Amino acid sequence: MNFFDEIQEHEQVVVCNDPKTGLKAIIAIHSTALGPATGGCRMFPYTSFEEALEDVLRLSKGMTYKCAAADVDFGGGKAVIIGNPAKDKSPELFRAFGRFVESLNGRFYTGTDMGTEPSDFVHAMKETNCIIGLPEEYGGGGDSSVPTALGVIYGIQATNQFINGSSELEGKTFAVQGLGKVGFKVAERLLLEDAKLYVAEPNERIIANLVRRGEELGNSSIKAVYSDDIYSVEADVFVPCAIGGILNDETIQMLKTKAVVGSANNQLKEEHHSRVLQERGIIYAPDYIVNAGGLIQVTDELYGANKERILTKTKAIYDSLLQIFQVSEREGISTLEASNRFCEKKIRASREGNSFFTRGIPPKWHIRQ
């Protein structure tokens, strides 16, 4: 990728280096047109600075669109910490990270993502007020993977409604890639709906846990497959819940599903792959629409966490997807193009208004400052 061109799309990119704690991080603010930037903080053992930069630039841009689609008064940002979450974490490291967040003066709010936990940010919040996704005992909304998984289920139901004229999932077959915090909950709910599952997950203990849970729910229709074999199983819906960039020229040709609906960020290797899926007759539910449940919860914290309000906003994913599918079909464009057009129109309209310093800041923001 051309990093210079990519960075030019962003308002601000901050390199964070604290030798004392070993912190090496990047914070990317893509846009504050809709409000202060928000996005999780990912911790991953990137092999190079360039790899980390590419990831944070793509993820932060995706957050701008996700915020617009979810109708929250925030813009897009993201943070990545370069390191192994299994051995490189420390309270001091996250406090150092919190100081860098604080230096942005309210332009960026962050919290948990892949490789980090809400408890990590209990340390970061000692240095900044700009932390969201905290544990309930610290005033947060709790586990954000719960509404994220629920949003995926709403997305699957909407897709099934569009394809088959019914949102019922009983008897349908799903290929679930990844049984992490979100993927496991999605699989569990699908089992509850009496669906059939193929799952790909490197941790055999987690697969065993899902099998036991299926037995408790009276559904033993679970078959584990190896890694890339998940792309070629015959299923109604492919449900990617692991890493991004997995839909490419090779994997798309392997798919034997009617649709792709999952929680993973940046599922498409390149944006044109949405058209490749369309040409193959596979419905693609844009990931930043489907996985917005967690964003809805963590941004809601700044207004004072309210579970009913979160549930209502998460349910809207169902109707949003149906509208995107209908526009895509009517105008002969990919579902991603239909979704992007909607979000870009909203962002352009917001740029004509006031800056986030005078509008759109949640009431609790003022109290915490």
Side-chain angles (χ1 to χ4, degrees):
M1 67 179 289
N2 187 321
F3 291 119
F4 185 73
D5 288 344
E6 289 290 323
I7 289 173
Q8 283 186 316
E9 292 188 30
H10 289 66
E11 291 182 11
Q12 190 173 7
V13 177
V14 180
V15 177
C16 312
N17 184 36
D18 186 65
K20 186 176 179 180
T21 63
L23 175 71
K24 293 182 176 69
I26 309 171
I27 298 171
I29 296 176
H30 179 259
S31 172
T32 56
L34 296 174
T38 187
C41 175
R42 175 170 293 191
M43 188 170 187
F44 187 78
Y46 297 99
T47 58
S48 66
F49 175 82
E50 290 76 14
E51 183 185 11
L53 180 61
E54 180 178 10
D55 202 27
V56 76
L57 292 177
R58 290 189 67 195
L59 290 167
S60 58
K61 182 178 179 179
M63 285 302 300
T64 296
Y65 286 81
K66 184 185 291 191
C67 288
D71 194 29
V72 297
D73 292 327
F74 287 84
K78 205 75 175 183
V80 296
I81 296 175
I82 302 171
N84 186 335
K87 63 179 184 178
D88 295 333
K89 287 184 180 181
S90 71
E92 293 75 22
L93 182 143
F94 279 94
R95 290 193 69 154
F97 175 71
R99 290 191 289 273
F100 280 105
V101 172
E102 181 65 13
S103 73
L104 295 171
N105 296 314
R107 284 176 57 80
F108 178 60
Y109 283 77
T110 191
T112 185
D113 198 279
M114 186 176 74
T116 61
E117 302 290 339
S119 57
D120 296 326
F121 296 94
V122 171
H123 305 295
M125 69 178 289
K126 295 175 183 177
E127 304 290 346
T128 180
N129 289 321
C130 298
I131 299 297
I132 51 181
L134 289 165
E136 290 186 79
E137 59 268 29
Y138 287 90
D143 185 358
S144 63
S145 69
V146 174
T148 303
L150 183 59
V152 176
I153 295 298
Y154 285 134
I156 291 172
Q157 290 174 332
T159 305
N160 200 48
Q161 176 68 40
F162 182 74
I163 294 173
N164 301 310
S166 170
S167 62
E168 295 296 321
L169 306 181
E170 181 179 355
K172 301 297 181 183
T173 303
F174 298 89
V176 183
Q177 181 185 52
L179 296 175
K181 289 183 286 188
V182 175
F184 190 95
K185 293 180 179 66
V186 170
E188 186 179 41
R189 176 61 183 268
L190 292 173
L191 289 172
L192 183 62
E193 297 288 337
D194 205 22
K196 302 174 184 178
L197 301 186
Y198 289 95
V199 298
E201 164 58 48
N203 191 323
E204 293 182 1
R205 179 181 56 81
I206 294 177
I207 293 176
N209 289 341
L210 182 65
V211 171
R212 282 194 293 271
R213 182 61 180 143
E215 291 171 350
E216 292 172 1
L217 296 172
N219 186 348
S220 300
S221 298
I222 306 169
K223 183 175 180 179
V225 298
Y226 289 104
S227 188
D228 290 352
D229 290 347
I230 194 70
Y231 298 111
S232 57
V233 299
E234 293 190 13
D236 292 286
V237 181
F238 173 50
V239 187
C241 296
I243 60 173
I246 47 85
L247 293 172
N248 53 49
D249 292 334
E250 181 180 352
T251 58
I252 290 174
Q253 298 308 315
M254 297 167 64
L255 292 177
K256 298 177 182 177
T257 62
K258 300 174 184 176
V260 176
V261 189
S263 66
N265 287 312
N266 296 328
Q267 295 164 23
L268 301 170
K269 182 67 175 175
E270 303 289 345
E271 287 198 357
H272 78 271
H273 286 118
S274 64
R275 293 190 293 275
V276 177
L277 285 165
Q278 184 181 33
E279 289 164 2
R280 288 211 57 212
I282 299 172
I283 299 292
Y284 171 66
D287 49 48
Y288 65 78
I289 302 286
V290 173
N291 64 19
L295 169 69
I296 290 168
Q297 174 168 300
V298 298
T299 55
D300 188 79
E301 286 181 15
L302 294 172
Y303 298 88
N306 183 301
K307 293 187 188 248
E308 287 302 315
R309 187 167 61 220
I310 293 166
L311 180 60
T312 298
K313 285 184 134 183
T314 303
K315 280 182 178 178
I317 290 172
Y318 182 97
D319 292 327
S320 295
L321 266 184
L322 281 179
Q323 291 173 14
I324 288 166
F325 293 154
Q326 290 161 2
V327 170
S328 169
E329 185 177 55
R330 183 173 64 248
E331 299 188 12
I333 59 177
S334 74
T335 54
L336 182 63
E337 289 172 307
S339 182
N340 284 353
R341 284 184 186 181
F342 167 79
C343 295
E344 288 161 3
K345 181 178 179 180
K346 185 172 183 180
I347 293 165
R348 283 195 301 270
S350 293
R351 286 198 178 109
E352 297 173 1
N354 297 322
S355 74
F356 77 77
F357 290 106
T358 57
R359 107 179 138 73
I361 301 174
K364 193 175 177 183
W365 190 90
H366 297 288
I367 296 171
R368 295 176 74 184
Q369 295 297 309

